[in-house]
Amino acid sequence: MNDLNTELGDLRLGERLRILRERAGLSQRALAKRANVTNATISLVEADKMNPSVGALRRILDGIPVSLSEFFAFEPEPEQVIFYQASDLPEIGKGKLSLKRVGNSQFGRAMTILHERYEPGADTGRVMYRHEGEEGGIVISGKIEITVGEERRILGPGDGYYFDSRKPHRFRQVGAEPCVIVSACTPPTF
């Protein structure tokens, strides 16, 4: 059972864990404490950057508490909300980078829509990111330097981008004012 995600159908293990944790009213930190694992472990599992062993998953689920069979049988209803107030958008960024997602859950969705705000000096990191899918966006205000593979460009208000997300990429705010972008990616990865 090396890859638990292959047994979950459309709902990734991390997304399934996040939904069940939130329904139990637990923060990542609270679940980590109950399961006797690090907060980073819960974060990495929910982001699908770590695939836990069956034993580790059982310990984590005991902290909710949910059995393995309940975990694998769980099928949440797709979110039915159509309209969102700005205050309803969950913050999934950190530090100088604000990423506000349209929708509380990615389950049952074909894309992610984000309102991104890069404060002066914000950067997605020197190590370029890559993932399955495509992404695009339009700069609303400020300036952003975007690197995709070997190509680099500074974009300003009204400028847009669209690329294959499997290419390594990086976003870096430039200039004195914050940069705001509205973006979308498919399949949902945030």
Side-chain angles (χ1 to χ4, degrees):
M1 206 179 217
N2 283 345
D3 188 0
L4 294 173
N5 281 325
T6 59
E7 299 182 8
L8 299 177
D10 290 339
L11 187 59
R12 297 182 335 261
L13 183 140
E15 180 76 0
R16 186 178 297 252
L17 177 61
R18 185 190 62 75
I19 291 169
L20 286 169
R21 174 184 59 75
E22 288 176 350
R23 284 193 177 178
L26 297 170
S27 67
Q28 286 183 347
R29 189 171 313 278
L31 177 56
K33 187 174 182 178
R34 284 183 174 195
N36 199 26
V37 298
T38 66
N39 185 41
T41 297
I42 302 297
S43 179
L44 290 169
V45 170
E46 287 188 1
D48 288 312
K49 293 183 179 178
M50 176 185 188
N51 199 6
S53 67
V54 173
L57 180 59
R58 182 174 289 140
R59 277 194 320 276
I60 292 168
L61 295 177
D62 285 347
I64 292 179
V66 170
S67 71
L68 277 172
S69 60
E70 289 172 313
F71 179 74
F72 287 107
F74 174 67
E75 288 295 331
E77 290 293 317
E79 188 174 13
Q80 299 297 315
V81 177
I82 296 173
F83 303 105
Y84 300 86
Q85 298 295 313
S87 60
D88 295 335
L89 305 181
E91 175 64 62
I92 59 174
K94 61 182 177 180
K96 293 182 175 187
L97 174 55
S98 169
L99 300 173
K100 293 189 177 182
R101 183 178 64 210
V102 176
N104 291 312
S105 171
Q106 296 302 86
F107 176 67
R109 294 190 170 200
M111 72 175 160
T112 299
I113 301 172
L114 296 172
H115 179 274
E116 305 179 31
R117 182 179 173 93
Y118 295 78
E119 294 297 331
D123 191 331
T124 57
R126 290 179 189 241
V127 176
M128 295 206 287
Y129 185 62
R130 63 172 64 185
H131 52 89
E132 285 298 316
E134 299 176 326
E135 63 186 88
I138 295 177
V139 177
I140 304 302
S141 62
K143 291 185 179 181
I144 192 89
E145 177 188 79
I146 302 176
T147 304
V148 179
E150 298 296 319
E151 294 186 54
R152 180 178 302 161
R153 179 84 44 94
I154 293 177
L155 302 179
D159 295 339
Y161 61 91
Y162 183 95
F163 60 89
D164 181 332
S165 302
R166 291 174 296 186
K167 293 181 179 179
H169 52 283
R170 174 184 183 189
F171 290 69
R172 188 175 69 87
Q173 185 278 344
V174 293
E177 68 177 274
C179 179
V180 175
I181 298 172
V182 174
S183 69
C185 71
T186 185
T189 54
F190 291 96

